[in-house]
Amino acid sequence: AKADADLGIDKKLEITRAPRAPRVKLDEDRLLSANGIPKLRAKAKHHLKFKGKGHEYSDASRLLSFYQLWLDDLFPKARFLDALAMVEKTGHKKRLQMMRMEWINEGKPQSSVH
Amino acid sequence: ADGKRDVVDPEVRAYVSSLVTALGGSGADEDGRYVLGDDALACLRDLKKWLKLYDEKANRLDVARCLAESNLVGGDLLQILAAWPENATEDRLKSKIALACLELLVPLTWPLEKNAEQMTVNHHRHIPYLQIAQLGYKRSIINYDGARILHTVVRCALPSMAEAMGDRSTRDEGIIKLLLYFLRNIAMIAPPPNVQYEGDESEISRSATIDAFDYQDIFHLLLTVSSTMGEDFNTQDVVVLDILFYLIKGIDVDKLFVDEATADNSKMDELVRLRKKEAAILRSSQVNAPTRHNRFGTMVWLQREDAKMTTISGQAALTDSTRSLAKMDSTKKFKPPRRALKGEHGPMDFDTPVMLNVQANKHLRRFVEEFLDSGFNPLFNHLRKAIDREAERILEYHPRQFFYLVSWFLDAERARRKCKRPSKSQKDAAPEDLDSFSLVASVLNQEMFVTLNRSMDTSFENKSWQDLSAAMKCFTQILLTVQEMSESPLEEDQEIAENILNRIFYEETTHDRVANITRTYKDQGFGYLDSCTELAHNYLRILEQYSKQNVDLQVRSRRRVRRKKKAARAEGQDEPDDDIVDESDGEDEARAERTSHERKFDFKRFAARFLTQGCIDTFVTFTAYYNDLKPVQLKRAHRYFYRVAFKQDMSVMLFRVDIIALLYKMVKGPEGLDPQSGTHKEWDELVKQILKKCTRKIQERPELVVEMLFSKINSTAHYLEYGYEKQTVTSK
């Protein structure tokens, strides 16, 4: 009871601020996650269809909205063009470059001679 | 003063103002005439001493501030100068007093520089006030009613200028310099970029300056000095350069050289054109505007995969999916951090356009023509030599001014030729009547190329982008002039042009430099972006033309050389023979065919340097300004993309989502190009072709879907374009 008499004034108050939530970034991890480029590739295979000659602009518009919706799912906070710039930037990272090479090589005709 | 704390030491203020009072004044008993004080000359000299020994020595601006507050310039100096009549030039005392006035005017109008390292508290306190005061000085000097002040000031220096260069004393040289610096200061004073001038802008505008220079015969002085540069004048070249720079920076050459008859028409056309442009903007915004009032409250669901919904408000979303997606995008708040664009905003800025009124336009045009006829070669030749030798008087910013002015005057010379041509309707005018390009020959020689190349190299290395921008402008104009020369009917001009082109064509270091500059644009500002794309465009275009030069033309030029040699031999001047002389026509043709073949191949290799992602990004950044670009600039971007996609067959480099989005937006909007303009049609065609290729390529090679997101390295791009790896690097 004695200890409570001074109302705990002498006790050192510890101010702890909760650490700020880390900022969400559009980095390689996010880009290589299931929602990222793998999903883009899968979707492109099934959903991206073009009409061809005479429909250049509508095809382009379809293509652009395809990318826009994918990016909106992946990284909803940034605008389309900003997000594109961010993705482009991550493309210079080693890991992503290796993945890109791999994806391209998958599409190449398999040659037996190496 | 007024009992408040003064910004200036009261004792200093007392001394200075008592000097100003003692200088003289006007009163009712003299009918308002200005009467000099008894010891006016001594007062002027004392004031000068104050400026020198207090302000300069102690690095303060207190005296200048006091003088500005006591209206010394408008109230005394100009009155004294005005009271020096033309016929009293012989009067020793009066001319001494006039000179003393000039000696005060120069430091008072001297440009105030703000460099953070050397500024003291006093500078921060006084400079804003003094900048405004200087505008007042300029206004009262060039608009003075009673007399031609500038002309009067010139009279101070006439005796010194009349002396032969060798006979001038140091004092004479000093007086001439004082006069020229005064003119420089007057030309240079302009409202600082962040300040709104409260008086009538038109009284201190560029037009007013030009009118005053014309009316007060300053242009004559400038012409005399620059046309006798090297004979009668020597070290004054840099000041003349300064004056010219501040007179003509930012003025549009094409507007300067419109015919007076068409000028009125073009004013009307301009209005009509602008109205049309405005109508187009209105139209496009009306198409997108809601048709109901703003609280109509439409809300749309966008069905996404996995049973996800996105809500979008507003009627725009109802009509089509593109716009609903645009709306969805525009409501996002997040903005990634961005770097501000660099660029010059101080007095050295030459990218901000300046408008002239009709009167000033006429005056300046006459001056420019006379300058081209008489002053261009002597002045710029002299300056180039000084720059090469790194003379002491050449300051850091002089090369920049030099290159900018050379480019400006070359442009003006071409504009003048274009103006003249239609009036000379008979095409078969004798070749002697035609002007050769010798009027601007001093900047087309080999020495100039050396200077220019070196300057471009060093400024690129030192990252001084404004210097580089000026040098690039200069190079572009030289290229354009050379190209026009090669089409000249005069054989000599043709020959010179051919030699120059030949040298440029095989100079690999220049190729690399131009490509490197284009590749590395980052945030140097729009003026720089404009200069570097312009250079790249013209460089490519002119070299392409050169490489295509048909066999016929080359045979002809060889024949011409042979004819000359023969003539020379016939005259008996036996020179060591070249191999050309002894060849026959048949050999000529075979040889010409071979060289033209080689050139074509060389050009292809050279043009490939401009296919890197960096170059493409630079042009994309440039194109993103499409709504503010002039038709010529849009054409520049158009030609570049056309070259990438169809001439060099590397359209894959353009297949990146942001580029496609930009191209799509340009044509289809919203905020696209005006659908009724000619440029829209051109772009429509190009973009359609690119899009067609793009969709076809995606179907052909599904891996492009991923690569569309990224910059491609050349080997990947080559594989995507052709479907196989590049086997070998094409050897030289």
Side-chain angles (χ1 to χ4, degrees), chain B residues 186-407:
Chain B
I186 294 300
M188 185 178 176
I189 293 173
N194 48 356
V195 169
Q196 185 70 44
Y197 179 56
E198 284 176 0
D200 186 357
E201 287 258 8
S202 69
E203 283 183 325
I204 51 162
S205 65
R206 192 72 67 77
S207 298
T209 315
I210 287 169
D211 283 342
F213 272 37
D214 181 73
Y215 171 62
Q216 314 206 16
D217 297 331
I218 302 303
F219 281 146
H220 289 308
L221 174 83
L222 290 178
L223 282 174
T224 315
V225 175
S226 48
S227 63
T228 53
M229 192 57 68
E231 297 165 31
D232 293 342
F233 298 95
N234 190 8
T235 51
Q236 289 85 351
D237 50 358
V238 285
V239 199
V240 176
L241 177 75
D242 243 4
I243 299 174
L244 288 175
F245 179 78
Y246 290 114
L247 269 182
I248 63 177
K249 64 170 187 160
I251 288 175
D252 187 352
V253 171
D254 293 329
K255 286 208 178 105
L256 191 65
F257 277 90
V258 280
D259 276 332
E260 272 150 59
T262 55
D264 291 332
N265 272 335
S266 73
K267 276 265 158 62
M268 275 314 287
D269 292 346
E270 179 90 358
L271 186 63
V272 171
R273 199 176 56 78
L274 287 176
R275 294 284 308 216
K276 265 191 190 151
K277 200 173 169 190
E278 194 191 4
I281 295 170
L282 267 178
R283 208 179 314 125
S284 78
S285 70
Q286 266 164 4
V287 168
N288 294 317
T291 52
R292 300 274 189 174
H293 60 81
N294 65 350
R295 295 205 280 175
F296 199 67
T298 318
M299 179 165 283
V300 177
W301 279 344
L302 190 70
Q303 175 77 53
R304 309 271 291 267
E305 60 195 8
D306 312 329
K308 256 197 340 193
M309 297 278 202
T310 306
T311 50
I312 301 160
S313 65
Q315 296 166 55
L318 279 176
T319 42
D320 68 277
S321 61
T322 326
R323 269 161 60 196
S324 54
L325 281 179
K327 172 87 194 199
M328 181 179 102
D329 210 38
S330 68
T331 47
K332 294 183 180 178
K333 293 269 170 23
F334 170 75
K335 276 198 186 112
R338 254 195 202 108
R339 257 201 233 168
L341 286 185
K342 290 175 198 137
E344 173 78 48
H345 297 292
M348 287 298 286
D349 162 38
F350 49 73
D351 292 316
T352 314
V354 172
M355 293 296 172
L356 292 184
N357 61 30
V358 182
Q359 196 70 12
N361 203 49
K362 213 168 74 190
H363 292 150
L364 185 66
R365 179 176 171 170
R366 197 169 57 220
F367 168 69
V368 168
E369 292 191 14
E370 279 169 9
F371 180 81
L372 282 168
D373 289 339
S374 64
F376 184 90
N377 278 335
L379 178 66
F380 285 121
N381 205 23
H382 201 258
L383 275 165
R384 200 214 69 236
K385 281 183 193 155
I387 291 173
D388 279 350
R389 150 161 63 78
E390 291 175 351
E392 214 176 310
R393 62 177 185 278
I394 298 287
L395 300 179
E396 190 199 1
Y397 60 87
H398 282 129
R400 188 190 309 182
Q401 293 180 333
F402 172 75
F403 289 125
Y404 178 75
L405 282 184
V406 169
S407 84

Side-chain angles (χ1 to χ4, degrees), chain B residues 146 161 195 218 230 371 431 454 485 558 564 569 648 691 730:
Chain B
M161 288 172 74
V195 169
I218 302 303
F371 180 81
R454 199 176 42 206
M485 257 171 98
R558 297 182 82 83
K564 270 218 175 131
R569 228 191 318 185
Q648 309 275 136
L691 292 179
T730 36

Side-chain angles (χ1 to χ4, degrees), chain A residues 57 67 72-73 88 100 108, chain B residues 304 332 684 705 711 725:
Chain A
Y57 286 108
Y67 280 106
D72 188 58
D73 280 341
E88 203 281 325
R100 278 166 65 189
K108 271 183 195 169
Chain B
R304 309 271 291 267
K332 294 183 180 178
D684 182 24
V705 171
S711 296
E725 297 277 346

Side-chain angles (χ1 to χ4, degrees), chain B residues 105-206:
Chain B
L105 281 173
V106 172
L108 286 178
T109 52
W110 200 264
L112 300 156
E113 268 172 59
K114 281 189 176 176
N115 45 351
E117 288 143 36
Q118 288 159 22
M119 276 173 85
T120 62
V121 184
N122 264 14
H123 286 97
H124 284 289
R125 203 179 275 155
H126 295 321
I127 281 184
Y129 184 89
L130 288 175
Q131 276 177 332
I132 302 289
Q134 287 193 339
L135 294 177
Y137 295 160
K138 175 171 181 172
R139 198 198 60 215
S140 39
I141 287 169
I142 62 178
N143 297 305
Y144 195 79
D145 283 331
R148 301 197 290 170
I149 297 293
L150 297 176
H151 184 75
T152 312
V153 171
V154 172
R155 272 163 53 212
C156 295
L158 279 182
S160 309
M161 288 172 74
E163 296 271 339
M165 191 165 74
D167 299 339
R168 277 183 212 139
S169 61
T170 335
R171 186 172 171 273
D172 287 329
E173 290 282 340
I175 292 174
I176 297 174
K177 221 165 232 176
L178 207 58
L179 163 72
L180 289 174
Y181 273 118
F182 178 61
L183 296 175
R184 194 277 310 257
N185 295 349
I186 294 300
M188 185 178 176
I189 293 173
N194 48 356
V195 169
Q196 185 70 44
Y197 179 56
E198 284 176 0
D200 186 357
E201 287 258 8
S202 69
E203 283 183 325
I204 51 162
S205 65
R206 192 72 67 77

Side-chain angles (χ1 to χ4, degrees), chain B residues 303-552:
Chain B
Q303 175 77 53
R304 309 271 291 267
E305 60 195 8
D306 312 329
K308 256 197 340 193
M309 297 278 202
T310 306
T311 50
I312 301 160
S313 65
Q315 296 166 55
L318 279 176
T319 42
D320 68 277
S321 61
T322 326
R323 269 161 60 196
S324 54
L325 281 179
K327 172 87 194 199
M328 181 179 102
D329 210 38
S330 68
T331 47
K332 294 183 180 178
K333 293 269 170 23
F334 170 75
K335 276 198 186 112
R338 254 195 202 108
R339 257 201 233 168
L341 286 185
K342 290 175 198 137
E344 173 78 48
H345 297 292
M348 287 298 286
D349 162 38
F350 49 73
D351 292 316
T352 314
V354 172
M355 293 296 172
L356 292 184
N357 61 30
V358 182
Q359 196 70 12
N361 203 49
K362 213 168 74 190
H363 292 150
L364 185 66
R365 179 176 171 170
R366 197 169 57 220
F367 168 69
V368 168
E369 292 191 14
E370 279 169 9
F371 180 81
L372 282 168
D373 289 339
S374 64
F376 184 90
N377 278 335
L379 178 66
F380 285 121
N381 205 23
H382 201 258
L383 275 165
R384 200 214 69 236
K385 281 183 193 155
I387 291 173
D388 279 350
R389 150 161 63 78
E390 291 175 351
E392 214 176 310
R393 62 177 185 278
I394 298 287
L395 300 179
E396 190 199 1
Y397 60 87
H398 282 129
R400 188 190 309 182
Q401 293 180 333
F402 172 75
F403 289 125
Y404 178 75
L405 282 184
V406 169
S407 84
W408 196 92
F409 278 110
L410 282 178
D411 200 5
E413 170 65 11
R414 288 189 306 114
R416 175 162 78 146
R417 284 168 168 274
K418 217 182 281 164
C419 253
K420 261 192 210 162
R421 217 171 295 143
S423 66
K424 229 182 242 165
S425 51
Q426 62 273 44
K427 265 201 165 174
D428 45 10
E432 297 86 61
D433 294 349
L434 294 160
D435 301 322
S436 78
F437 281 83
S438 58
L439 284 178
V440 292
S442 66
V443 295
L444 299 176
N445 51 23
Q446 187 58 21
E447 287 93 334
M448 181 68 185
F449 277 100
V450 173
T451 313
L452 186 59
N453 282 336
R454 199 176 42 206
S455 164
M456 280 166 79
D457 264 343
T458 49
S459 46
F460 186 60
E461 257 167 45
N462 299 338
K463 299 190 176 13
S464 45
W465 306 121
Q466 295 306 307
D467 287 318
L468 185 56
S469 174
M472 286 193 289
K473 274 181 195 295
C474 182
F475 193 25
T476 310
Q477 289 303 327
I478 288 179
L479 286 175
L480 291 172
T481 312
V482 167
Q483 197 209 9
E484 209 160 287
M485 257 171 98
S486 68
E487 288 156 8
S488 148
L490 292 181
E491 273 198 2
E492 253 172 48
D493 280 348
Q494 275 179 35
E495 220 165 284
I496 296 169
E498 219 160 277
N499 277 333
I500 296 174
L501 283 175
N502 204 5
R503 242 178 355 235
I504 295 174
F505 189 78
Y506 292 107
E507 224 165 63
E508 296 260 341
T509 47
T510 316
H511 300 340
D512 286 338
R513 189 180 314 119
V514 176
N516 261 345
I517 292 172
T518 321
R519 195 164 50 80
T520 51
Y521 170 80
K522 209 159 169 231
D523 47 10
Q524 288 93 331
F526 180 76
Y528 179 89
L529 183 59
D530 185 36
S531 332
C532 81
T533 48
E534 191 184 17
L535 175 61
H537 169 75
N538 284 307
Y539 197 61
L540 273 165
R541 196 175 58 92
I542 286 169
L543 290 194
E544 181 170 41
Q545 244 172 40
Y546 179 78
S547 73
K548 273 187 188 159
Q549 222 180 39
N550 44 24
V551 178
D552 186 41

